[in-house]
Amino acid sequence: MSALNYLILIRLKNTVKSLFQKPARLIYVIVVLVLIGFTIFAGHTDEGGATQYRDISELVAGATALYTLMFLMLVKNGFANGGSIFTMPDVNMIFPAPFEQRKVLFYGLIKQIGSSLLLSLFILFQYTWMHTSYGVQYGFLLILVLGYALSVFFGQFVAMVIYSLTSADDRKKRIAKVIYVAYIALIVLYAASFVLQDTENVVRQLVAAGTSTVFRFTPIGGWLGMFTDGIAAFHVADIALGLGLCALFAALLVLIVEKSNSDFYEDVIKTAEVSQSAINASKQGVVAESAPAHVKLGKTGFGRGEGAEMFYYKHKLENRRSRILILDTVSLIWVVCVIVFSLFMRDSGIMPVFIMATYLQLFSVALGRFNKELLKPYIYLLPEPPLSKMLHALRESLPSAVVEAILMFVPVYLIVGMNVPEMIFCILARISFTMLFIAGNVILSRIWSGSAAKGIVMLLYIVIMLLLAAPGVVLAIIAAAFGWVLITGMTTAFLIMTVCNVLVSILGFFLCRNMLQYAELNYQ
């Protein structure tokens, strides 16, 4: 057995052993398995009699779009820091060892496949609505997990290759960017050409575009979509062709790395350093900021603000310098995902769309720059009331939340066909959930000193968020049961959730009002 194979097996064995040596990890795994079991049980509770399922091609087209999106998002890293398939321990221990570069590359790729599978586990929790809407079984869900993992894997691999080939030559980098943008533009124009043929049936046209022969032969996203469609329709030729094209593409990437004059060892060291910095930041309770290489300067100075209010204008200035738009890339992606989801669910009303938007929001709302301030002494030393400092340091999240809610639910209003009062109260409810989840993050930071690197903390985070959201959801259900209506039933539900969320958020901030009274800096 070679040394690298032995290392892979030992890492796998130690990962399993750590579950039993660290009870927190074991509890987290058990809870995840229980939740997955609950989704399976919930997906089969309404079975009985004939059920009219939606066309499975809609799900295949959606999966193809997801694969393409993840692939393109990760490939973009090749123009900045590259793909992270190696870690600092690899750099320090394996790179200096007398191994062939090809074997080391395969070692990194095998590790990356495992990491990609872990990132795709969230798909397992989508079984309930997929089964009730499309009648898919859990085996097909595992295929979707595999497809998502492969899209992440190829995205990281291509990003590493692009960085290796272009990092030392600005001209090559510009050419690669042009090809990247042109590829995205062609995909968008191709989808738009289908939609323009029949604007009254947007979903059907998008599905036709996503499952068309031309799109099936687009790299990675289309090939994985072909593989997924082959599984759904039991077409062995599509399965073999999709996987075969992916395998040939992987072999081509390996050949490019081997034949290129660049030393990929040197090229991936910076990527490994960036990844290690993110890990260290997570252990310290703060998420490392992803700022562009060239920061916009513009005017200097805050211009206004006194006392605790200074933190708001400081964060506002930092956001302007690090972003192109008022929203970051992740927020824009969530907006597009919710709008696309509303196209598929427009016959079911606004509530399923709002639930999906809130579900995504649960994992997208963070404390932003507030976590960074907690690791610096200045916010503790400022002679202002602790609650005032906290609220002003959190203010920078509110304008983005308002813009995101408007950009998300105005198009949804046009797609679903809800009335104007429902749209207004829906936007207000979305903003109130932002406040609620921010308060939940503050409570979690108060309990766990801001550390979010462990699985048990994620479990605690979800529990806290569910408890905070429970009053509004329960009261909305009670109001619907008793027939309390203000304008419409949806308007009443959104109003109740908005009021409850705001009150619970204020209570959460008040209970944590003294968390800035004393510094609790923990760098362990």
Side-chain angles (χ1 to χ4, degrees), residues 1 6 13 76 110 189 208 265 343 488 508:
M1 180 184 295
Y6 174 79
K13 184 182 74 171
K76 186 181 178 182
I110 292 173
L189 291 175
Y265 278 3
L343 290 171
T488 65

Side-chain angles (χ1 to χ4, degrees), residues 337-494:
C337 289
V338 172
I339 293 174
V340 172
F341 183 77
S342 69
L343 290 171
F344 291 92
M345 304 300 294
R346 60 181 176 180
D347 295 332
S348 301
I350 183 59
M351 190 53 70
V353 180
F354 185 80
I355 293 174
M356 173 59 72
T358 306
Y359 173 77
L360 296 176
Q361 192 180 19
L362 180 66
F363 300 100
S364 63
V365 170
L367 290 181
R369 300 185 181 276
F370 181 71
N371 266 338
K372 301 176 179 64
E373 296 294 346
L374 295 180
L375 294 181
K376 303 172 185 176
Y378 314 113
I379 195 169
Y380 303 98
L381 297 176
L382 189 68
E384 292 282 336
L387 181 59
S388 177
K389 291 188 290 185
M390 176 197 297
L391 295 179
H392 282 295
L394 292 170
R395 275 179 62 189
E396 56 102 4
S397 301
L398 191 57
S400 299
V402 174
V403 174
E404 179 181 332
I406 294 174
L407 291 178
M408 181 179 294
F409 284 104
V410 169
V412 170
Y413 154 74
L414 299 174
I415 295 171
V416 176
M418 55 180 173
N419 55 48
V420 175
E422 286 181 354
M423 180 193 70
I424 295 174
F425 282 99
C426 181
I427 292 175
L428 292 176
R430 168 75 179 189
I431 297 171
S432 72
F433 271 104
T434 300
M435 293 180 57
L436 187 74
F437 293 154
I438 289 175
N441 275 283
V442 171
I443 295 173
L444 182 63
S445 298
R446 189 71 183 94
I447 295 174
W448 213 270
S449 299
S451 177
K454 301 178 181 179
I456 192 64
V457 182
M458 175 57 72
L459 176 61
L460 180 62
Y461 168 80
I462 295 175
V463 171
I464 290 175
M465 297 305 178
L466 292 178
L467 290 176
L468 293 179
V473 174
V474 171
L475 287 178
I477 294 175
I478 293 175
F482 282 94
W484 300 338
V485 176
L486 178 64
I487 303 178
T488 65
M490 288 293 101
T491 302
T492 306
F494 289 138

Side-chain angles (χ1 to χ4, degrees), residues 238-279:
D238 288 344
I239 298 173
L241 184 58
L243 290 180
L245 290 172
C246 290
L248 289 175
F249 187 69
L252 177 63
L253 293 177
V254 173
L255 183 63
I256 291 174
V257 172
E258 288 186 341
K259 297 301 181 181
S260 63
N261 295 325
S262 60
D263 185 354
F264 82 88
Y265 278 3
E266 297 293 334
D267 295 327
V268 302
I269 286 178
K270 180 181 178 182
T271 302
E273 292 175 345
V274 171
S275 300
Q276 188 63 40
S277 298
I279 293 173

